[in-house]
Amino acid sequence: MNKDFTKVIMNPIRQRVIQLLIRRGTATTSQMLEELQDIPQASLYRHLRILLEAECITVVEENKIRGTIEKTYGIAKEANGEYQKDEVSGLIQSTLLSLMGSFKHYFEDEEADPIKDILSLSTSTLLLSDDELREILDEIGQIIKRGVDNKPSKDRKERRFTFILSPCEKE
């Protein structure tokens, strides 16, 4: 796993590109620009290049259209889909550090207003079987998908929703 992987995927624009590709399966740059209308074309190309270099996405098809090559992108598949325990630990720790940096940056802004911005943190301990947990995760996924599928508008702003599920410490 690339050590810069977390830095790559924690960017809000790249997260939206990844989410689009997860939702659609594949997409051309034109299709992405149609859905992600608030992202300038040059910026989208730059973020696609970064995602390609980090091997998060891949070119799944190339078509020649009017003298130019149109690329179709998709999510890169892991060779075996397995990660080593230390890689997962590093990814989680890097993600948490990135979140800490985001909050530090947020609170350094004199205009930061946690109430107005609906800043929220919640922790709950649940007693669930694996099947019950999977059912709840499916429901949460459907709820989050509603926000992921939203199109930009003057009333909407980007919000990061981070969901962490972990086992409880044993006493």
Side-chain angles (χ1 to χ4, degrees), residues 93-124:
Q93 291 176 47
S94 295
T95 301
L96 291 173
L97 286 171
S98 175
L99 286 169
M100 288 171 52
S102 294
F103 279 113
K104 182 179 184 301
H105 180 73
Y106 172 82
F107 284 109
E108 286 173 346
D109 183 345
E110 289 183 18
E111 295 182 23
D113 185 344
I115 303 297
K116 180 179 154 247
D117 293 333
I118 315 172
L119 185 68
S120 176
L121 175 67
S122 176
T123 300
S124 300

Side-chain angles (χ1 to χ4, degrees), residues 128-138:
L128 301 168
S129 70
D130 289 351
D131 288 340
E132 290 169 325
L133 177 59
R134 285 185 192 96
E135 185 178 325
I136 287 173
L137 291 174
D138 284 345

Side-chain angles (χ1 to χ4, degrees), residues 36-88:
L36 307 172
Q37 297 173 2
D38 57 320
I39 300 174
Q41 184 174 354
S43 181
L44 179 63
Y45 279 112
R46 184 177 73 254
H47 289 288
L48 286 172
R49 181 183 47 78
I50 292 167
L51 288 167
L52 281 166
E53 289 172 358
E55 299 178 351
C56 296
I57 65 172
T58 186
V59 176
V60 296
E61 188 177 2
E62 291 184 346
N63 295 309
K64 193 169 186 174
I65 298 178
R66 293 185 294 266
T68 186
I69 301 292
E70 179 186 60
K71 296 178 180 177
T72 302
Y73 299 92
I75 298 295
K77 306 287 188 257
E78 278 294 314
N80 60 12
E82 297 177 9
Y83 294 105
Q84 298 298 318
K85 186 177 176 181
D86 60 335
E87 290 177 323
V88 173

Side-chain angles (χ1 to χ4, degrees), residues 5 11 15 48 58 69 92 98 112 133-134 142 152 156 165:
F5 180 77
N11 176 280
Q15 284 179 352
L48 286 172
T58 186
I69 301 292
I92 290 170
S98 175
L133 177 59
R134 285 185 192 96
Q142 291 303 313
R156 292 185 173 138
L165 179 64

